[in-house]
Every structure is written in C-alpha cells, then in structure tokens.
C-alpha cells in the first residue's frame, strides 16, 4: 500500500502530539482533551503521537479521547525506538521538566524492541492497531543515543526495519518509515530498506527547505516514498516563538534566521497574509507530502490550524517571495483557488 493510499484526503492534515506531552509548558488533562475534541470537531482525523512525548503522557491523553471514537474513522501514527520502563528513580524530569512521568527511556531499535514498543503503545492508547509507525530519532541530532547514530542505524537495519516490514505484510500495521529531524537517515532508509512514508520534521519550512527540496525529494520520488511533514513552523518560530526547532539549544537563534523571519513578515504584511497560515500551506504543497502535522495544546490553536489550511493566499505573495529569493525558485507553492 502506497503512502497516498494510506493518507486519503481526510488524513492530509493532522494533529501533532508534542505540545500535549508537556514539551514546552504544563498542559492540564482537561486542556489536552479539549484540544483533541476541538480538532476532532473541526474535522481532523489524523493523529500523530509518540511514547517519547511526555514519556507516555501524550499517548495516554490521545487514548482517553480516541478510544471513544470509531476506530475506522481516524488514522493514527506513533513511534518506536524508545522503550519506556517505569522506575521509582528515573530521570524523566531532566527530559521533560513540565511532565510527571514515572518512566525511564531505553533506546531499542531491535526487532523485539519494536514489537514490545508497539504493544506498549496499544495499551497506553487503548486501541487494537496502529496505522503507521515511525522509527524515532535515529538521527545525528539525537545526543541521547547510547552509541553513534550510524551504529544504532545498523541495529535498526537488521532489526526494526525488517520487523516493521513483516508486520506490514502481516497486516498488523499499514506502513512505516523513520521520523527524524535530519536528512541523512531518511536518505539511507529509502535506499537501504522499504518504507512507505517518513516523518520529515524540521526540514521543510519557509525558513529552511532547500536541502529537502533538492536532495531528499528526488530520491523519494524515485523510491515511491511519501512524507508526513512536521514542524513546518520550526517549533513555532515562524509564528513568533522565541525558539527555533527542538533541543536544549533551541533558544539560541541565528541572526540569519531572525532576519529571514523579518523579511517574510514584511512580505506577508504587504499582501495582507497571515505568515503562519502561509508557512503551513507552503509545507503541505510538495507532491511527495502526503500529510502535514501541526501541534496544538489549546482549542484555539487547534481551530486556527484547520482554518489556516482552508484560507486563500494570493499567488502574488508567492511570486514576491520568489522575486526576493526568500523561497527556492523551484519550490512548489499552493495552487490558486477559484
């Protein structure tokens, strides 16, 4: 089954689970459930989560809402590679200061580890199957890995990847890929294994898209791989957040990125365009993008995301971005709406 067959039109926009895992601030259970309900009522039917987000918290919260919905009415993806193990002494506060998890994390990209991780996720969410599985953070930017990422990738190449292909062939899952913030693992998995869809995070945004566009997308077309695009706002940077992407250094933003944001804002103001809306639509425009994931932790954010995907943006805005070389000349832009 191809990525486009899995991600039917109703699944081409989804709710990302990072904020609901208390990544950036404390979110109450009530606020999390209200956010999920608002997204659902606005028509969102694709939900992405991970054991990593709040070390189990986001999956439990997704489950509190989704287990009451008809299972065939929505698509859900989660991640593998990070096993959670409850321990009275754990370092969860170091990893998620705003969370309150009882778990430690063990990186495990073996076949057995993947099966255990999926079983754990099914129990936390309270459902009987996962649609899409992403092998999580098997990437050079993951400084928590116990050995260099290439060594962990070799474990996955012989363990997690073939195990997920078998689970797909058995019908346990519908598709799999890697979910990472850097291009190297995506290029490798496409060339060395057989994924359907990868989660391309922090790599295709108005601020930074040239490498994905010119190096990663051509290989994906050749190999028949689709992308779920994540972090199209660079962890909120484009919409005004004082951070750029994720990690402990996210508050250290380069002058180049700050300057580009100001130039983008100026063009948006010139054309009466909401920059955040433009950024979301831009990241969803490539032919290899099968879905766009955007996080939210309030009802208002969930609704704003849905509204942004329906808004009309004048073609002259995109033309001006090209003229000022703020986007690549060959970057696809949303089609005109009549």
């Amino acid at each position: 089954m191809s990525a486009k067959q899995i991600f039917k039109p109703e699944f081409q926009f989804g709710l990302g689970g990072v904020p609901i895992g208390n990544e950036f601030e404390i979110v109450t259970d009530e606020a999390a459930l209200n956010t999920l309900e608002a997204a659902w009522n606005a028509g969102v039917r694709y939900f992405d989560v991970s054991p990593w987000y709040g070390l189990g918290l986001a999956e439990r919260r997704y489950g509190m809402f989704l287990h009451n919905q008809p299972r065939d009415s929505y698509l859900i993806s989660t991640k593998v590679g990070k096993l959670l193990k409850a321990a009275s002494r754990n370092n969860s506060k170091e990893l998620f200061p705003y969370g309150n998890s009882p778990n430690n994390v063990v990186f495990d990209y073996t076949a057995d580890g993947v099966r255990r991780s999926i079983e754990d996720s099914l129990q936390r969410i309270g459902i009987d199957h996962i649609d899409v599985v992403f092998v999580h953070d098997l990437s050079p930017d993951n400084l928590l890995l116990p050995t260099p990422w290439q060594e962990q990738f070799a474990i996955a190449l012989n363990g997690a990847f073939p195990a997920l292909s078998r689970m797909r062939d058995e019908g346990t899952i519908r598709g799999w890929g890697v979910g990472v913030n850097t291009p190297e693992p995506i290029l490798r998995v496409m060339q060395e294994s057989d994924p359907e869809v990868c989660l391309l995070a922090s790599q295709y945004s108005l601020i930074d898209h040239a490498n994905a566009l010119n190096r990663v997308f051509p290989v994906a077309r050749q190999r028949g791989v689709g992308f779920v695009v994540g972090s199209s706002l660079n962890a909120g940077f484009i919409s005004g957040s004082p951070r750029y992407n994720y990690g402990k250094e996210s508050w250290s933003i380069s002058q180049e990125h700050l300057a580009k944001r100001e130039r983008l804002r100026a063009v948006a103001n010139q054309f009466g365009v909401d920059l955040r809306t433009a950024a979301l639509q831009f990241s969803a425009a490539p032919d290899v993008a099968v879905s766009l994931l955007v996080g939210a932790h309030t009802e208002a954010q969930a609704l704003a995301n849905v509204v942004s995907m329906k808004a009309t943006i004048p073609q002259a805005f995109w033309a001006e971005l090209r003229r000022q070389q703020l986007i690549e000349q060959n970057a696809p832009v949303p089609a005109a709406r009549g």
Side-chain angles (χ1 to χ4, degrees):
M1 188 178 286
S2 72
K4 279 190 163 44
Q5 288 173 304
I6 297 170
F7 287 87
K8 295 173 182 175
E10 62 266 35
F11 304 137
Q12 288 171 6
F13 179 74
L15 179 71
V18 172
I20 285 177
N22 290 16
E23 169 87 23
F24 306 119
E25 60 193 86
I26 293 172
V27 179
T28 65
D29 287 342
E30 183 183 17
L33 283 170
N34 288 342
T35 301
L36 284 155
E37 189 166 16
W40 183 274
N41 290 340
V44 174
R45 291 296 183 271
Y46 171 38
F47 299 87
D48 176 76
V49 71
S50 167
W52 175 246
Y53 304 155
L55 303 184
L57 178 63
E59 283 191 327
R60 291 202 313 276
R61 285 173 163 174
Y62 268 50
M64 286 168 67
F65 179 77
L66 290 175
H67 85 274
N68 290 314
Q69 312 306 326
R71 182 61 191 89
D72 59 357
S73 65
Y74 63 88
L75 187 81
I76 187 165
S77 55
T78 193
K79 322 286 190 325
V80 295
K82 301 178 182 184
L83 279 177
L84 303 184
K85 301 201 174 177
S88 54
R89 294 188 178 183
N90 61 70
N91 64 345
S92 64
K93 280 288 185 187
E94 293 172 34
L95 301 171
F96 286 88
Y98 302 113
N100 190 27
S101 172
N103 296 315
N104 278 324
V105 177
V106 177
F107 289 91
D108 192 334
Y109 296 106
T110 65
D112 287 346
V114 161
R115 289 185 180 273
R116 159 80 189 276
S117 184
I118 291 174
E119 181 62 35
D120 288 352
S121 289
L122 288 170
Q123 292 192 30
R124 275 190 294 270
I125 302 170
I127 54 178
D128 59 10
H129 69 279
I130 304 289
D131 296 294
V132 175
V133 174
F134 296 118
V135 181
H136 201 193
D137 284 347
L138 188 50
S139 177
D141 68 321
N142 184 358
L143 304 180
L144 298 173
L145 288 172
T147 62
W149 81 271
Q150 296 94 331
E151 291 181 24
Q152 296 296 311
F153 191 94
I155 294 170
L157 195 57
N158 294 308
F161 300 165
L164 289 167
S165 292
R166 282 193 298 274
M167 294 173 81
R168 176 195 61 208
D169 297 343
E170 294 162 3
T172 309
I173 64 173
R174 296 169 69 191
W176 72 273
V178 296
V180 291
N181 300 313
T182 62
E184 295 93 333
I186 291 179
L187 289 166
R188 281 197 61 185
V189 78
M190 290 193 295
Q191 292 163 328
E192 298 175 44
S193 193
D194 62 340
E196 285 77 26
V197 56
C198 290
L199 173 51
L200 181 99
S202 310
Q203 298 171 65
Y204 196 80
S205 72
L206 274 178
I207 296 285
D208 177 17
H209 57 270
N211 187 70
L213 180 68
N214 297 315
R215 279 190 62 222
V216 181
F217 290 178
V219 179
R221 292 187 189 101
Q222 189 181 25
R223 305 288 295 190
V225 174
F227 292 114
V228 171
V229 178
S231 196
S232 55
L233 301 174
N234 298 109
F237 173 73
I238 290 175
S239 51
S241 166
R243 61 175 175 264
Y244 183 82
N245 292 346
Y246 302 100
K248 290 189 175 176
E249 300 298 314
S250 66
W251 310 103
S252 177
I253 305 171
S254 74
Q255 286 303 310
E256 179 187 3
H257 287 142
L258 290 166
K260 184 167 185 180
R261 182 171 67 179
E262 285 310 306
R263 292 182 64 202
L264 287 166
R265 281 174 172 168
V267 178
N269 289 339
Q270 180 186 340
F271 288 91
V273 168
D274 173 48
L275 182 59
R276 183 176 171 284
T277 291
L280 296 182
Q281 291 197 18
F282 176 81
S283 292
D287 61 320
V288 291
V290 294
S291 191
L292 180 74
L293 276 177
V294 187
H297 71 272
T298 66
E299 295 173 75
Q301 287 177 349
L303 292 172
N305 293 340
V306 173
V307 169
S308 285
M309 298 310 292
K310 296 176 180 174
T312 300
I313 294 176
Q315 292 298 297
F317 167 78
W318 303 113
E320 181 62 16
L321 292 187
R322 280 212 178 95
R323 191 188 72 77
Q324 293 193 30
Q325 298 185 335
L326 287 167
I327 60 174
E328 295 293 299
Q329 296 303 302
N330 59 331
V333 297
R337 299 184 186 182

